[in-house]
DNA sequence: GTTGAAATTAGTACGAA
DNA sequence: TTCGTACTAATTTCAAC
């Protein structure tokens, strides 16, 4: 092989996905689990770990990749060591009808590592990595705030990243049966607040154009 | 090779790191850049892309791994396809002097993919992946709220993950010189609020025991 | 740090169960 | 489908430059 990934992720972003494609069984899950822990494992070693033949491993491996279940393989870099020691979260309020522009601008900001559209007080949360605190300030005030689509921002710094797990699969979930009385979905209209400790935050009003048309 | 990663990440968490180790040059950066895009590329192909010999590529590759600059290789899985279609952020207020316990409890919750300690109104932000909305509710109310260290939570749902980049390295940054007049660091005492659009949120009062002693 | 050649391993393509 | 084997091509290692 020359390369095995990097060029075949179908579609554009992480957004909308249609069709179900592969039906994943326990073996698929086990493959994913191993691959999340060690993305560079050889298919032969993978087969051994999962308990299938090499031929099957190749078939399933390729199927998972082709089907988009595995989106890409990546190396996790220590950002501090790489020169980007400061991480911040910026919560952004986006002006209505300007989501497309907002997305377009974000695409041109390489320092943005992650962006998610959320319910709650703000509309989006972006995570940025910077060499120093001053750079965060500059980015937020001069570049983010300069985007017409951005109505307001709120910045918090990340003091420590406690955990970042690659193990998140249904099989990892704690075996914990749902309560007999099915919990009602947490909507704005019916949200019990048990223990007085919880608070779900719904979407802001008039959020109709959440998805861009890219 | 049989395996190339997965068992040698030194230390425990993502927290404190001592010593500088390798001094990264432009070639190292380029290697990291390629590896972040394609974690399964062969060292031979990597060498060609970076423009160095195979042997050099092997040496540098190993050095980056041994030194911890590359923390691990992982496969990015489409969570929706894998059965965890719901993503939520839970902002947690942690009771003072109970950080250690909080961390310990989190370690036992596999559905938590990411946890960061932040400045601002809340103390920590955790990202969870669940099969459905009801499970989020159950997790937050029955498990998270049940932790003594957790004083309060606030949950928001992620409607769409716009981008998740593996390209974040200093070399990716937009070449934009800092303003001649050095921007003052954004502390609570001296934070200019340009355009009335920005808002930095400092740490809550009395946050002295942010780091656990693990 | 680079090239080249040898040994090992990976990836593919068959049949057979 | 999955497995097992054989074949081909690539990668890794190790040598000398």
């Amino acid at each position: 092989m020359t390369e095995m990934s990097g060029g075949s992720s179908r579609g554009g972003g992480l957004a909308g996905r249609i069709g179900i494609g592969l039906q994943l069984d326990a073996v698929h899950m086990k493959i994913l689990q191993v691959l999340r822990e060690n993305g560079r494992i050889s298919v032969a070693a993978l087969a051994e770990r999962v308990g299938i033949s090499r031929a099957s491993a190749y078939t399933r491996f390729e199927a998972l990749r082709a089907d988009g279940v595995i989106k890409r393989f990546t190396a996790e870099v220590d950002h501090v060591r790489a020169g980007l020691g400061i991480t911040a979260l910026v919560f952004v309020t986006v002006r209505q009808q300007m989501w497309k522009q907002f997305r377009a601008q974000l695409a041109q900001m390489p320092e943005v590592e992650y962006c998610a559209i959320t319910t709650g007080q703000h509309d989006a949360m972006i995570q940025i990595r910077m060499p120093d605190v001053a750079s965060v300030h500059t980015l937020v005030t001069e570049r983010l705030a300069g985007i017409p689509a951005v109505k307001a921002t709120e910045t918090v710094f990340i003091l420590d990243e406690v955990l970042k797990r690659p193990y998140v699969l249904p099989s990892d979930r704690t075996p914990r049966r749902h309560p007999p009385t099915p919990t009602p979905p947490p909507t704005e209209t019916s949200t019990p607040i048990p223990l007085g400790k919880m608070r779900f935050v719904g979407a802001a009003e008039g959020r109709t154009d959440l998805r861009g048309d890219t």
Side-chain angles (χ1 to χ4, degrees), chain A:
Chain A
M1 92 193 174
T2 356
E3 292 183 22
M4 297 203 54
S5 70
S8 66
S9 31
R10 71 179 185 199
L14 300 93
R17 180 132 294 164
I18 33 156
I20 16 157
L22 262 184
Q23 195 66 30
L24 307 184
D25 58 22
V27 178
H28 286 120
M29 285 301 178
K30 207 165 181 183
I31 290 174
L32 291 178
Q33 200 150 343
V34 173
L35 251 22
R36 295 211 70 175
E37 290 177 51
N38 184 356
R40 260 184 102 83
I41 193 173
S42 70
V43 181
L46 174 67
E48 192 182 8
R49 272 221 208 169
V50 175
I52 56 177
S53 70
R54 285 202 311 162
S56 292
Y58 276 106
T59 307
R60 301 181 91 113
F61 180 90
E62 238 311 292
L64 286 170
R65 282 196 34 67
D67 211 63
V69 179
I70 298 175
K71 288 187 286 191
R72 93 210 324 164
F73 290 94
T74 183
E76 273 185 25
V77 172
D78 187 325
H79 293 94
V80 180
R81 300 296 310 282
L84 297 177
I86 303 295
T87 304
L89 299 176
V90 185
F91 298 92
V92 181
T93 307
V94 179
R95 225 175 280 280
Q96 293 307 326
Q97 315 298 91
M98 295 186 86
W99 281 92
K100 191 181 173 185
Q101 196 212 71
F102 175 66
R103 284 165 184 264
Q105 292 291 327
L106 272 193
Q108 295 182 322
M109 297 171 63
E111 39 277 286
V112 176
E113 182 168 272
Y114 179 72
C115 174
I117 297 182
T118 66
T119 61
Q121 188 182 352
H122 307 98
D123 299 316
M125 182 191 82
I126 70 179
Q127 184 182 41
I128 59 181
R129 306 254 185 207
M130 293 272 133
D132 47 60
V133 174
S135 303
V136 175
H137 188 228
T138 304
L139 176 77
V140 174
T141 58
E142 297 190 3
R143 303 198 58 204
L144 260 183
I147 300 174
V150 173
K151 195 191 289 181
T153 66
E154 186 166 323
T155 306
V156 304
F157 286 92
I158 288 185
L159 302 173
D160 192 12
E161 294 184 271
V162 177
L163 58 85
K164 184 187 280 177
R165 280 216 196 87
Y167 302 98
V168 185
L169 291 172
S171 49
D172 297 320
R173 294 198 55 221
T174 326
R176 199 171 281 263
R177 295 145 292 297
H178 283 186
T181 2
T183 325
T187 54
E188 300 88 313
T189 51
S190 69
T191 304
I193 311 190
L195 299 169
K197 281 185 175 174
M198 175 151 186
R199 183 173 154 206
F200 270 108
V201 182
E205 333 73 55
R207 297 267 297 283
T208 48
D209 55 342
L210 286 170
R211 286 173 179 273
D213 26 293
T214 332

